[in-house]
Amino acid sequence: MKCMKTSPAHRTRIRPKLADLMRSAPKWATRITEAPQIHLAVLVEPYLEYLFEGKKTIESRFSVHRIAPFEEVLRDDVVLLKRSGGPVVGLALVGQPEFFHLSPSTWAQVKSRSREICADAEFWRSRRDKRYATLLHIADIIPIEPFKVEKADRRAWVTLDPVRQLL
């Protein structure tokens, strides 16, 4: 099993490594090369499996503070799907991202997507104190040969390769 590092010094080399890993899937190798950004998302079960099964079509992230991925994710970004406590096991392509400053009216709008998020009453109860929500419509997903990512912090979302600066 290969291992990649998430430190800033290693982030600039993430695209070639990923493209090399995906050489047997040319469509994904191209997506990795052309994606505006590359992200790492840590997921717990059963939500990771729901994504692979196609039951979960929106990945959601909630926070009290304005932290990634809030207002940082773009359409066509690539997301590495990392099993909590385990390896990266898949890739996802972001379709339409949506960002919400949560209020009574926006909570209703977010909760209306319960089926696509695979959210039950306990899911919503555990997020009731959150102030920001990010909903990422998943355009495509692929399981991959697992590989380890060296990650030393507890963040559940890391932008590995941010938007490239125009020259």
Side-chain angles (χ1 to χ4, degrees):
M1 189 178 299
K2 295 187 179 190
C3 183
M4 289 187 196
K5 297 182 180 184
T6 62
S7 66
H10 292 91
R11 290 181 189 166
T12 57
R13 297 188 293 264
I14 195 90
R15 283 178 196 267
K17 288 179 182 178
L18 286 174
D20 185 51
L21 283 173
M22 298 308 296
R23 66 181 170 271
S24 63
K27 176 176 85 171
W28 276 94
T30 300
R31 285 177 171 169
I32 289 163
T33 302
E34 296 177 354
Q37 303 179 111
I38 308 288
H39 305 272
L40 174 71
V42 178
L43 292 114
V44 297
E45 293 298 353
Y47 303 107
L48 179 59
E49 195 58 37
Y50 291 165
L51 277 170
F52 285 122
E53 292 171 355
K55 287 173 59 175
K56 180 176 174 65
T57 58
I58 296 176
E59 173 56 15
S60 61
R61 297 293 165 133
F62 297 83
S63 61
V64 173
H65 304 287
R66 294 174 64 125
I67 59 171
F70 187 77
E71 294 183 344
E72 290 186 20
V73 179
L74 304 169
R75 179 184 210 84
D76 296 327
D77 279 359
V78 170
V79 181
L80 283 67
L81 306 173
K82 181 185 179 307
R83 184 180 312 279
S84 180
V88 172
V89 294
L91 300 175
L93 184 69
V94 176
Q96 183 61 45
E98 295 182 87
F99 309 102
F100 297 89
H101 293 266
L102 294 170
S103 67
S105 63
T106 58
W107 262 115
Q109 193 176 356
V110 171
K111 283 184 173 182
S112 74
R113 313 278 180 48
S114 288
R115 192 180 81 234
E116 294 93 338
I117 296 170
C118 291
D120 58 14
E122 178 53 35
F123 178 94
W124 295 121
R125 253 190 312 280
S126 69
R127 287 155 179 82
R128 68 178 170 253
D129 65 331
K130 306 304 182 198
R131 297 177 46 211
Y132 301 95
T134 301
L135 302 184
L136 305 172
H137 297 259
I138 302 302
D140 199 1
I141 189 167
I142 183 174
I144 61 170
E145 182 179 332
F147 67 89
K148 289 183 181 179
V149 173
E150 204 173 286
K151 185 176 167 304
D153 58 42
R154 295 182 52 104
R155 291 178 295 167
W157 191 279
V158 180
T159 301
L160 298 174
D161 187 12
V163 175
R164 298 178 195 170
Q165 300 297 317
L166 297 175
L167 299 177

